[in-house]
Amino acid sequence: MQIKEILQTAEIGKEITVKGWVRTKRVSSNVVFININDGSVIHNIQAVAETGIIDEETLKLVTTGSCVAITGTLIESQGQGQKVELQVKSVFVYGTADPEKYPLQPKKHSLEFLREIAHLRPRTNTFSAILRVRHSLAFAINKYFNDNGFFYLHTPIITGSDAEGAGEMFRVSTLDPIKPPLNEDGSVNYKEDFFGKETNLTVSGQLEGELGAMALSKIYTFGPTFRAENSNTTRHLAEFWMIEPEVAFFELEDNMNLAEDFTKYVINYALTNCYDDLVFLENRLKEEEKNKKKEEQSELSLIEKLRFVVDNDYVRLTYTEAIKILLNSKRHKEGKFQYPVEWGIDLQSEHERYLVEKHFKKPVILTNYPKDIKAFYMKQDEDGKTVRAMDVLFPGIGEIIGGSQREDDYEKLLQRTKEVGIHEDTIWWYLETRKYGSAPHSGFGLGFERMVLFVTGMTNIRDVIPFPRTPKSAEF
Amino acid sequence: MQIKEILQTAEIGKEITVKGWVRTKRVSSNVVFININDGSVIHNIQAVAETGIIDEETLKLVTTGSCVAITGTLIESQGQGQKVELQVKSVFVYGTADPEKYPLQPKKHSLEFLREIAHLRPRTNTFSAILRVRHSLAFAINKYFNDNGFFYLHTPIITGSDAEGAGEMFRVSTLDPIKPPLNEDGSVNYKEDFFGKETNLTVSGQLEGELGAMALSKIYTFGPTFRAENSNTTRHLAEFWMIEPEVAFFELEDNMNLAEDFTKYVINYALTNCYDDLVFLENRLKEEEKNKKKEEQSELSLIEKLRFVVDNDYVRLTYTEAIKILLNSKRHKEGKFQYPVEWGIDLQSEHERYLVEKHFKKPVILTNYPKDIKAFYMKQDEDGKTVRAMDVLFPGIGEIIGGSQREDDYEKLLQRTKEVGIHEDTIWWYLETRKYGSAPHSGFGLGFERMVLFVTGMTNIRDVIPFPRTPKSAEF
């Protein structure tokens, strides 16, 4: 019986066996207290044994990190902090954990240290809470789309086209790494590679997702994506998970409605289903921020922040309007933005966060960005200068969603591919969706780890994925 | 309003707009019939327009594959084959599809031809049905595990270790492909590569999954996995999706119970939620098998086969017992197996299918395989010859699940890694789970496409994934 179930049903007087890992052991004069956790829930269960119940030899093996099965009777707790506890009848030790060597002794560990032992950190309260929340968010995403008539489409991970142009890519190959076969001109002869062509890891499933939407009307992807960018920041991973819905007959307005409804649903799901984990993470964050300057502390607690998103309408305005607000801001006038503000710039995180956190104090959806700073596939506005893009901006995170209505006019799309230097023969299949039964359609991408960061209140993206991949690091 | 919803609610007399792709247009003396599909469901909706309602110019553009919005009144159908139809008031054409060029004209297309136009094949009945079933199976998998207290763990795609030893791997690199940096001994200097070491695409998330189970008790993975094997068969893909549950405190028996309960749940979910698609696919299969010899035709229809799995207990026996049955079989005695049968062999598909389809006529779980043909991490039996492996065998498919109880003894595991030539320093983190709080645990892997093959009745694995990756092919 798992601890989550025990705490929920709590049948006093019943004999049960709890299997899990020892968090702490405390021996007092005539009683032993053993706290066990099995990862099913943030809470431990406390086992209490009177002296003599557990033999000396066994008791020695019961140390922090050891794995045990404890059988006993569930009773109302005598102490504080828990409703029920286990009156021990017998203890079996599955596996020991040498106190001299086991790194997760009951004391405070830095997040940096825990990253180095990512194979063990899920055994801590913080990381087990993050992983449970991560699970619930993933399930909520699948449930939302399923319940709303979307089909989960597995788009390819290995791709022969760099059409998205979203960044540097990882090459996938089985050629001899030292002496690859070469063409006469000295270039690599990829015809001899596994796939008979040069292949890379995908940066986005969107283009293939559009193919699905042009047949099934409503699809979404949820899979790993990759960027070979040498960015050693708290916001970048080389391997991360992305969600990309794509809907036929949706225009920009529908797309905004979907993004707002979807993010609210997912966050609300976490509030309902992970409340205890969120309370723990909220307290962790408060503790962490104690050492920060007042102005760097969060105004809202974690749960307040999540409720705030769920309860408020997102503000919607155009990029052009946003630039005006930034130009008129006191912060700009006092020269306190690090990056310049003018129409045409790619907004920096400081600008996005100013709009969200200072000006509107609400999530913001910016639309109709300049054509030149957005991808080739976005639908051009009639002014010829902007495209039907939309970015959803969240407090603390900045951009959490990027999307657009797609260009559905074959000639316009073809021209844009030429302008940005994409060869027609690499994406003939994409262009054909505009040749045969083209339709207005829209979609967006959500970086899953950005959402997990937001909901857990963590600050480093390496702490919300089980085994982070970053420059010079691919451990475990 | 999507066609699925229209057919479910069917409010006669209501004015609605249907958006979708034209499957067929038929013009009779005074009426035009247009069949539209939007991918939400296998069924089309028929729009009926009296002559003159649609102007000549527009009507010319309404051809197979064009995308339209048709507004009209929902009425009870006059003809056969559908309950309701749409009495047309107006037609708007979003995108045309030149009948001279659009490849999906209303006639029979071979699966081989459709593979070449994988960007358009989701617009056919067969592939839209497959993709809807695939979606439902994926959702059922996530729902089953969520409802049973498992946490979805995203294990890494790019990996620095080939510990599983499950097959050839794809190298992931950003080094110069022509002149990579070399060490003094002439080998590639992977320290200069993106991750500072040699990295490959994962062949399994199991080892990392075990790390999760040793903290959260019950986890599952569901992600892409890769094999760089030059196998051009109907059963192999270079990129496919795998589900791998892993459970602390589960022994082999619990693992078998999980595998049986899980597969039955998922198949039953498809029967309940994809019935119309399965009826379509069942008829497709009957049609396809008409041209086959009697003995090659399926004994059961598709839906009968699925119900058969759901309604029957799986037979459980050891590998050793299975070898005896095979040796005593008429087929063996008459020398009709292609491959030899003796204790110690890796069972071939013909052997597995004989057991399932001829001998037991039920799904079969084989256990306790010879140590030498199974992976290093499987728990050794006391006889020293076999391990606590289990394979689940399905009719038509053979092995659909492979799993085991894992070796939880540190010394035994260490010895096996040495025997199979895995360096301790590449999987120190895996070994440590047996050093600190080790516990009995078990898990298995399900190749997702194998399950989709089984449920859809398709015979080539390239037809159950949207964009297949196979030797010399990574299109779209």
Side-chain angles (χ1 to χ4, degrees):
Chain A
M1 207 175 187
Q2 289 202 282
I3 293 173
K4 183 176 183 178
E5 204 185 333
I6 294 168
L7 298 181
Q8 273 170 356
T9 56
E11 288 186 58
I12 301 296
K14 201 179 170 186
E15 182 169 310
I16 53 171
T17 298
V18 177
K19 297 173 182 177
W21 290 268
V22 173
R23 285 292 171 82
T24 56
K25 178 180 75 174
R26 188 162 55 84
V27 182
S28 79
S29 57
N30 55 351
V31 180
V32 182
F33 299 94
I34 305 169
N35 268 300
I36 313 159
N37 189 284
D38 65 4
S40 65
V41 66
I42 190 79
H43 309 293
N44 301 330
I45 195 156
Q46 178 169 277
V48 185
E50 282 169 47
T51 312
I53 295 280
I54 310 172
D55 67 80
E56 284 288 315
E57 280 307 296
T58 304
L59 192 57
K60 260 190 227 165
L61 302 179
V62 176
T63 59
T64 295
S66 63
C67 186
V68 298
I70 302 190
T71 302
T73 310
L74 200 67
I75 59 169
E76 284 185 45
S77 183
Q78 312 298 309
Q80 283 182 328
Q82 64 272 326
K83 279 188 187 162
V84 295
E85 60 187 31
L86 197 63
Q87 198 171 40
V88 177
K89 290 192 172 165
S90 66
V91 173
F92 178 79
V93 179
Y94 285 117
T96 58
D98 185 345
E100 300 295 314
K101 293 179 183 163
Y102 184 59
L104 288 175
Q105 295 305 318
K107 57 165 193 166
K108 193 149 176 62
H109 302 284
S110 74
L111 296 173
E112 291 74 18
F113 170 70
L114 293 173
R115 255 168 248 151
E116 286 168 25
I117 52 164
H119 62 310
L120 296 175
R121 68 179 182 174
R123 298 185 187 184
T124 64
N125 282 330
T126 297
F127 284 92
S128 68
I130 292 168
L131 290 176
R132 282 188 297 269
V133 172
R134 187 178 163 107
H135 160 78
S136 285
L137 292 171
F139 187 70
I141 288 164
N142 283 310
K143 184 166 162 55
Y144 177 85
F145 287 124
N146 181 71
D147 292 353
N148 285 284
F150 289 69
F151 301 105
Y152 184 14
L153 190 77
H154 287 116
T155 49
I157 311 302
I158 298 172
T159 170
S161 62
D162 176 17
E164 239 264 357
E168 291 180 63
M169 299 171 86
F170 289 103
R171 192 172 64 253
V172 174
S173 177
T174 58
L175 290 178
D176 186 320
I178 300 172
K179 283 190 191 296
L182 300 179
N183 295 312
E184 282 184 11
D185 66 357
S187 61
V188 176
N189 181 4
Y190 285 111
K191 287 210 176 109
E192 293 196 20
D193 208 346
F194 188 91
F195 295 108
K197 65 195 309 194
E198 189 176 351
T199 50
N200 295 289
L201 291 179
T202 184
V203 293
S204 161
Q206 179 200 313
L207 301 194
E208 290 90 354
E210 288 186 48
L211 306 179
M214 288 296 101
L216 301 170
S217 288
K218 297 165 108 178
I219 67 94
Y220 72 105
T221 74
F222 190 171
T225 44
F226 306 85
R227 296 279 189 287
E229 278 167 38
N230 203 0
S231 303
N232 247 317
T233 79
T234 58
R235 292 163 45 104
H236 290 88
L237 291 167
E239 172 182 312
F240 56 99
W241 287 68
M242 190 134 80
I243 297 102
E244 297 178 289
E246 190 73 35
V247 192
F249 314 112
F250 263 32
E251 304 195 1
L252 188 59
E253 172 98 14
D254 308 302
N255 207 24
M256 286 193 275
N257 293 341
L258 176 67
E260 181 166 346
D261 188 54
F262 165 67
T263 45
K264 284 179 170 173
Y265 174 87
V266 166
I267 293 167
N268 200 39
Y269 185 94
L271 281 167
T272 309
N273 290 275
C274 310
Y275 191 75
D276 290 358
D277 284 321
L278 293 176
V279 168
F280 174 84
L281 290 167
E282 170 166 289
N283 290 329
R284 192 207 68 82
L285 185 62
K286 276 182 196 157
E287 198 63 33
E288 191 184 77
E289 291 194 339
K290 266 188 191 164
N291 305 319
K292 286 190 178 176
K293 286 180 231 159
K294 185 110 199 285
E295 63 267 29
E296 287 175 13
Q297 290 178 10
S298 308
E299 284 178 40
L300 300 176
S301 79
L302 179 61
I303 290 171
E304 282 170 351
K305 182 186 77 173
L306 300 180
R307 288 210 198 285
F308 188 78
V309 169
V310 170
D311 293 340
N312 275 291
D313 290 339
Y314 298 3
V315 178
R316 301 175 183 194
L317 70 160
T318 65
Y319 168 92
T320 303
E321 289 164 336
I323 290 289
K324 277 184 203 154
I325 289 169
L326 291 170
L327 287 173
N328 284 327
S329 70
K330 201 173 147 200
R331 192 173 293 190
H332 174 70
K333 287 176 179 166
E334 290 176 355
K336 285 189 178 158
F337 282 126
Q338 196 189 335
Y339 293 90
V341 177
E342 61 175 323
W343 199 95
I345 62 158
D346 210 353
L347 293 180
Q348 299 295 322
S349 188
E350 59 173 345
H351 306 137
E352 293 173 346
R353 293 186 60 177
Y354 174 83
L355 291 168
V356 172
E357 293 164 32
K358 301 295 164 193
H359 188 81
F360 290 112
K361 294 179 184 284
K362 281 184 189 178
V364 169
I365 311 183
L366 291 190
T367 63
N368 306 86
Y369 282 72
K371 183 172 76 168
D372 294 336
I373 60 168
K374 287 290 182 184
F376 75 95
Y377 50 69
M378 296 190 179
K379 188 170 178 67
Q380 294 174 49
D381 283 315
E382 274 146 34
D383 65 6
K385 292 192 291 185
T386 57
V387 287
R388 291 194 199 163
M390 62 164 215
D391 282 4
V392 180
L393 314 179
F394 265 29
I397 300 275
E399 183 198 327
I400 194 162
I401 277 178
S404 72
Q405 184 170 347
R406 318 306 188 185
E407 183 57 76
D408 51 25
D409 182 281
Y410 178 76
E411 293 300 335
K412 283 186 187 164
L413 183 64
L414 182 63
Q415 201 199 317
R416 280 298 284 157
T417 61
K418 285 178 183 164
E419 283 171 18
V420 300
I422 297 171
H423 288 286
E424 201 179 331
D425 55 0
T426 64
I427 51 162
W428 60 273
W429 45 272
Y430 183 67
L431 293 167
E432 281 204 352
T433 55
R434 277 64 171 179
K435 215 183 226 170
Y436 303 128
S438 187
H441 60 290
S442 301
F444 60 78
L446 166 72
F448 183 53
E449 282 74 19
R450 292 265 172 101
M451 179 57 95
V452 184
L453 264 187
F454 182 75
V455 174
T456 59
M458 301 299 290
T459 47
N460 191 321
I461 203 159
R462 297 169 197 210
D463 294 332
V464 298
I465 190 166
F467 306 99
R469 266 74 185 107
T470 54
K472 301 297 170 202
S473 174
E475 298 306 311
F476 314 106
Chain B
M1 207 176 188
Q2 289 202 284
I3 294 173
K4 184 176 182 177
E5 204 185 334
I6 294 168
L7 298 180
Q8 274 171 357
T9 56
E11 288 186 59
I12 299 297
K14 200 177 172 187
E15 183 170 309
I16 54 172
T17 298
V18 178
K19 297 173 183 178
W21 291 268
V22 173
R23 284 293 171 82
T24 56
K25 178 180 75 173
R26 188 162 54 84
V27 182
S28 78
S29 57
N30 55 353
V31 180
V32 182
F33 299 95
I34 305 168
N35 267 299
I36 312 160
N37 188 284
D38 65 4
S40 65
V41 65
I42 189 78
H43 309 293
N44 301 329
I45 195 156
Q46 179 170 274
V48 185
E50 282 169 46
T51 312
I53 296 281
I54 311 172
D55 66 80
E56 284 289 314
E57 281 306 297
T58 304
L59 193 57
K60 260 190 227 165
L61 302 179
V62 176
T63 60
T64 295
S66 64
C67 186
V68 298
I70 302 190
T71 302
T73 310
L74 201 66
I75 59 170
E76 285 186 42
S77 183
Q78 312 297 307
Q80 284 181 327
Q82 63 274 327
K83 278 189 188 162
V84 296
E85 59 187 32
L86 197 63
Q87 198 170 41
V88 177
K89 288 192 174 166
S90 68
V91 173
F92 177 78
V93 179
Y94 284 117
T96 58
D98 185 344
E100 302 293 314
K101 293 180 183 162
Y102 185 60
L104 287 175
Q105 295 305 317
K107 56 165 194 166
K108 193 149 178 59
H109 302 283
S110 74
L111 295 172
E112 290 75 18
F113 169 71
L114 292 173
R115 254 168 249 152
E116 287 167 23
I117 53 165
H119 62 309
L120 296 175
R121 67 179 183 174
R123 298 185 187 184
T124 63
N125 283 329
T126 297
F127 284 92
S128 67
I130 292 167
L131 290 175
R132 283 189 297 269
V133 172
R134 187 180 164 105
H135 160 79
S136 286
L137 291 171
F139 187 71
I141 288 164
N142 284 310
K143 184 166 163 53
Y144 177 86
F145 286 123
N146 181 72
D147 292 354
N148 286 283
F150 289 69
F151 301 105
Y152 183 15
L153 190 77
H154 286 117
T155 50
I157 312 301
I158 297 172
T159 169
S161 62
D162 177 17
E164 238 266 356
E168 292 180 61
M169 298 171 87
F170 289 103
R171 192 173 60 254
V172 174
S173 177
T174 58
L175 290 178
D176 185 322
I178 300 172
K179 282 190 191 297
L182 300 179
N183 295 313
E184 282 187 10
D185 66 358
S187 62
V188 176
N189 181 4
Y190 284 110
K191 287 208 176 116
E192 294 197 18
D193 208 347
F194 188 92
F195 295 108
K197 65 193 312 195
E198 189 177 351
T199 49
N200 294 288
L201 291 179
T202 184
V203 293
S204 162
Q206 180 200 313
L207 301 194
E208 291 89 354
E210 288 186 47
L211 306 179
M214 289 297 101
L216 301 170
S217 287
K218 297 165 108 178
I219 66 94
Y220 73 105
T221 73
F222 189 171
T225 44
F226 305 85
R227 295 280 189 286
E229 279 167 36
N230 204 358
S231 304
N232 247 317
T233 78
T234 58
R235 291 162 47 106
H236 291 87
L237 290 168
E239 172 181 313
F240 56 98
W241 287 67
M242 190 132 82
I243 296 101
E244 297 178 289
E246 190 73 35
V247 192
F249 313 112
F250 262 32
E251 305 195 1
L252 188 58
E253 173 96 14
D254 309 301
N255 207 24
M256 287 193 274
N257 293 342
L258 176 66
E260 181 166 346
D261 188 54
F262 165 67
T263 46
K264 283 178 170 172
Y265 174 87
V266 166
I267 293 167
N268 199 39
Y269 185 94
L271 280 167
T272 309
N273 290 275
C274 310
Y275 191 75
D276 290 359
D277 284 322
L278 292 176
V279 167
F280 174 84
L281 290 167
E282 170 165 290
N283 290 329
R284 192 207 68 83
L285 186 62
K286 275 181 196 158
E287 197 64 34
E288 190 184 79
E289 290 194 340
K290 264 187 191 165
N291 305 319
K292 284 191 179 175
K293 286 181 231 157
K294 185 108 199 288
E295 62 268 28
E296 287 175 12
Q297 290 178 13
S298 308
E299 284 179 40
L300 300 175
S301 78
L302 179 62
I303 290 171
E304 282 169 351
K305 183 187 77 174
L306 300 180
R307 288 211 197 285
F308 187 79
V309 169
V310 171
D311 292 341
N312 275 290
D313 289 340
Y314 298 2
V315 177
R316 301 175 184 195
L317 69 160
T318 66
Y319 168 92
T320 303
E321 290 165 336
I323 290 288
K324 277 184 200 152
I325 289 169
L326 290 170
L327 288 173
N328 284 326
S329 70
K330 203 174 147 198
R331 192 174 291 189
H332 174 70
K333 288 175 178 166
E334 290 175 356
K336 284 186 179 160
F337 283 126
Q338 198 190 333
Y339 293 90
V341 178
E342 61 175 324
W343 198 96
I345 62 158
D346 211 352
L347 293 180
Q348 299 295 321
S349 188
E350 59 172 347
H351 306 135
E352 294 172 344
R353 293 186 59 178
Y354 174 83
L355 292 167
V356 172
E357 293 163 33
K358 300 297 166 190
H359 188 82
F360 290 111
K361 294 178 183 285
K362 280 184 190 177
V364 168
I365 310 183
L366 291 189
T367 63
N368 306 86
Y369 281 73
K371 183 173 76 168
D372 294 336
I373 59 169
K374 286 292 181 184
F376 75 96
Y377 50 70
M378 296 190 180
K379 188 169 178 67
Q380 293 174 50
D381 283 314
E382 274 146 34
D383 65 6
K385 291 192 294 186
T386 56
V387 287
R388 290 192 200 165
M390 62 163 213
D391 282 4
V392 180
L393 313 179
F394 265 28
I397 300 275
E399 182 198 327
I400 194 163
I401 277 178
S404 73
Q405 185 170 345
R406 318 306 187 185
E407 184 57 76
D408 51 27
D409 182 281
Y410 177 76
E411 293 300 336
K412 283 185 188 166
L413 183 64
L414 182 63
Q415 200 197 318
R416 280 298 284 158
T417 59
K418 284 178 184 165
E419 282 170 18
V420 300
I422 297 171
H423 287 287
E424 201 179 329
D425 55 2
T426 65
I427 52 163
W428 61 272
W429 44 272
Y430 182 67
L431 293 166
E432 282 204 350
T433 55
R434 276 64 171 178
K435 216 183 227 170
Y436 303 128
S438 186
H441 60 291
S442 302
F444 60 79
L446 165 71
F448 184 53
E449 282 74 19
R450 292 265 171 101
M451 179 58 93
V452 185
L453 263 186
F454 182 74
V455 174
T456 59
M458 301 300 290
T459 48
N460 191 321
I461 203 160
R462 297 170 196 209
D463 295 333
V464 298
I465 190 166
F467 306 99
R469 266 73 184 107
T470 54
K472 301 298 170 201
S473 174
E475 299 306 311
F476 315 107

